Amino acid sequence: MQHRFLRTVLAVALCTPACSGGGAGGGATLVPNSAQPSPTSPPASKIQHVVIMVQENRSFDNFFATYPAADGATSGKTHTGQTVQLKEVGLVATDIDHRWQTFLTEYDGGKMDGFDLIHYGGIGGGPPAGLYPYQYVDPSQIAPYWEIAKQYVLADHMFETESSGSFIAHQDLIAGGTKINPYQGLVDYPTHSPWGCDAPHPTKTSLLTVRRRLLVDAGPFPCVNYPTLRDSLDAGKVSWKYYAPPMDQIGGLWTAFDAIRAVRYGSEWQHNISSPETTVFTDISKGKLPAVSWVIPDFTNSDHPGHGVTGGPSWITAVVNAIGENTTLWKSTAIIVVWDDWGGFYDHVPPIQIDYQGLGFRVPMLVVSPYAKRGYVSHTQYEFGSILKFVEENWGLPAIGTTDVRATSIGDVFNFDQPPHRFHPIHASLPRAYFIHHKPSYLPVDTE
């Protein structure tokens, strides 16, 4: 296995009866997070807009296995101990299993050698996938992402906060966690879509206990009220929006906030949830971009495996260029591009097990800003709570009290003492006009 960055050797392991594996969890060792002190928050005048762009279902090695100076690998181990070479492939991929149970199999107690034991299909309903997960995408097929990394920041140790799929991951990106009580948290996917208060009754969720017991369909209806970053933003009078694609032709939206009762049945559902997602271009051009925004792609413009979708790199580029070409907006914005989960694909770095929910596998993160370090590869350990923490630091907001407390802020990828970089447009195959005029697919961005 070709490692380009020497991982820190963990000298201290912690495992108590309450956190040791039980039931389906096996004997995973839990260790404390080695979070670094957060840097001094930037002056409020430096970053006035944070744009969180979410992409779908790719591991770090799947997109950046061969990126110079990054912790990538082009070979991996199977459950028999065989070393196999990762196959270079195109962007179009087949959907493979990526549930919590899949994480356990692939992780294999930290050996990272169970990727040949999973199945095709997002919930594992297909035939055995064999060596299919052992692959990485030809860099020419995702050239905009590599160009962004070369100009700005690529983080090679961003981990999913939880070891599960897209429902949980999108919740983590607004809430930093999905614990519904001190002993249990949501895991995997609700039994029906849409994922939230608009789901049909009697939709159920699944639970994971502190002893790592999986309780299938034993959870509540997916309409909950745990704290989210929205609570702190509202309390601090910091504006926000969630740009969501339409999911059907009768008004359904694909948004993580559909699962938050106070938002779904409050005034913010009309004022802070903006659809279609391409309205972000209108707000950029009119100078109405909020302080904090989440931007979710249409299914055809995501990187989700299946159905031959390839618009993801151009979609990200279109938004980045729209902001970059607005001189005033560019000088005050940080764009964070992150992939919600690993999609079942091979990754060679074993995630530290901080608690019973995670960390999950690595996913890529790109940071674009006039104050981002140039061509910088960050090896700092992050999780999704790291993004929330940076937002809290930037506006002086209190922590919402989930993983934003323990996480290391992404603030160390910036240099606020440097003059702002001049923006250079990113090249992509599809222009901005394509997305502005493209009809919605009305498909959910993810269903597993």
Side-chain angles (χ1 to χ4, degrees):
M1 190 177 295
Q2 302 171 12
H3 304 296
R4 292 178 173 80
F5 173 73
L6 182 61
R7 297 196 303 273
T8 302
V9 177
L10 298 174
V12 180
L14 173 65
C15 186
T16 66
C19 68
S20 61
T29 299
L30 307 185
V31 301
N33 184 11
S34 55
Q36 302 172 3
S38 297
T40 302
S41 301
S45 60
K46 291 290 181 74
I47 297 296
Q48 298 177 20
H49 308 275
V50 172
V51 180
I52 304 165
M53 299 196 70
V54 186
Q55 272 292 10
E56 294 288 317
N57 296 41
R58 300 286 179 158
S59 71
F60 184 87
D61 280 342
N62 186 249
F63 267 8
F64 292 99
T66 60
Y67 191 85
D71 187 1
T74 54
S75 64
K77 294 284 188 182
T78 68
H79 78 284
T80 63
Q82 178 187 6
T83 297
V84 297
Q85 295 300 309
L86 272 60
K87 183 179 180 181
E88 185 179 83
V89 298
L91 178 58
V92 174
T94 302
D95 203 12
I96 52 179
D97 196 358
H98 49 280
R99 298 168 294 164
W100 180 74
Q101 303 95 313
T102 314
F103 167 83
L104 287 181
T105 299
E106 294 180 335
Y107 177 69
D108 190 18
K111 296 178 184 177
M112 304 296 281
D113 62 3
F115 291 82
D116 60 322
L117 296 176
I118 68 170
H119 289 70
Y120 287 108
I123 54 175
L131 296 180
Y132 185 79
Y134 296 82
Q135 59 170 265
Y136 66 91
V137 175
D138 178 351
S140 68
Q141 300 249 321
I142 50 173
Y145 296 147
W146 278 52
E147 186 176 348
I148 289 171
K150 289 174 183 177
Q151 288 197 42
Y152 302 102
V153 173
L154 170 66
D156 67 1
H157 280 73
M158 165 60 81
F159 294 86
E160 289 182 75
T161 286
E162 300 187 56
S163 315
S164 192
S166 289
F167 171 62
I168 299 302
H170 282 254
Q171 291 299 300
D172 289 339
L173 285 165
I174 64 170
T178 58
K179 293 179 181 178
I180 60 171
N181 60 52
Y183 312 105
Q184 299 171 323
L186 301 178
V187 72
D188 289 338
Y189 327 105
T191 53
H192 298 90
S193 63
W195 290 338
C197 300
D198 287 303
H201 288 274
T203 297
K204 297 290 186 181
T205 54
S206 294
L207 297 174
L208 192 64
T209 74
V210 292
R211 292 187 177 273
R212 287 197 161 181
R213 289 189 59 206
L214 177 63
L215 306 178
V216 177
D217 299 342
F221 183 72
C223 190
V224 297
N225 257 339
Y226 44 59
T228 70
L229 186 59
R230 158 259 185 190
D231 299 311
S232 291
L233 295 172
D234 285 353
K237 302 187 184 308
V238 178
S239 61
W240 66 272
K241 270 190 181 181
Y242 196 101
Y243 295 90
M247 193 169 61
D248 55 47
Q249 299 189 47
I250 56 174
L253 304 178
W254 207 99
T255 162
F257 280 107
D258 194 2
I260 307 303
R261 182 182 299 275
V263 175
R264 178 61 186 91
Y265 297 117
S267 61
E268 289 167 315
W269 189 251
Q270 299 298 324
H271 300 296
N272 296 73
I273 311 298
S274 186
S275 187
E277 77 290 348
T278 51
T279 56
V280 69
F281 294 116
T282 303
D283 285 353
I284 290 169
S285 64
K286 293 184 176 180
K288 294 184 177 180
L289 193 68
V292 178
S293 55
W294 291 264
V295 183
I296 310 301
D298 184 273
F299 176 80
T300 57
N301 302 321
S302 77
D303 291 326
H304 196 292
H307 302 279
V309 297
T310 58
S314 292
W315 160 251
I316 295 295
T317 300
V319 177
V320 169
N321 285 347
I323 292 172
E325 292 163 8
N326 182 317
T327 305
T328 301
L329 190 58
W330 168 245
K331 291 182 178 179
S332 61
T333 299
I335 306 167
I336 301 160
V337 184
V338 67
W339 281 256
D340 70 332
D341 72 61
W342 87 110
F345 292 107
Y346 178 77
D347 195 81
H348 76 279
V349 176
I352 294 171
Q353 298 302 279
I354 297 175
D355 63 17
Y356 69 93
Q357 293 178 297
L359 299 174
F361 288 130
R362 287 192 310 168
V363 294
M365 182 179 71
L366 300 165
V367 180
V368 183
S369 173
Y371 302 101
K373 296 176 181 177
R374 298 286 284 181
Y376 179 64
V377 178
S378 173
H379 304 307
T380 303
Q381 178 184 301
Y382 304 121
E383 58 178 292
F384 292 163
S386 300
I387 299 172
L388 307 187
K389 188 167 194 168
F390 174 72
V391 171
E392 293 162 352
E393 290 176 343
N394 190 63
W395 279 278
L397 303 174
I400 59 177
T402 59
T403 58
D404 56 328
V405 176
R406 76 185 186 199
T408 300
S409 168
I410 65 168
D412 64 331
V413 307
F414 300 94
N415 179 1
F416 293 105
D417 293 326
Q418 69 187 16
H421 302 309
R422 180 181 177 183
F423 180 73
H424 298 282
I426 307 299
H427 304 286
S429 59
L430 298 174
R432 188 184 317 161
Y434 169 85
F435 300 102
I436 293 174
H437 299 296
H438 189 259
K439 292 182 179 180
S441 69
Y442 296 111
L443 295 172
V445 180
D446 205 335
T447 57
E448 72 269 326

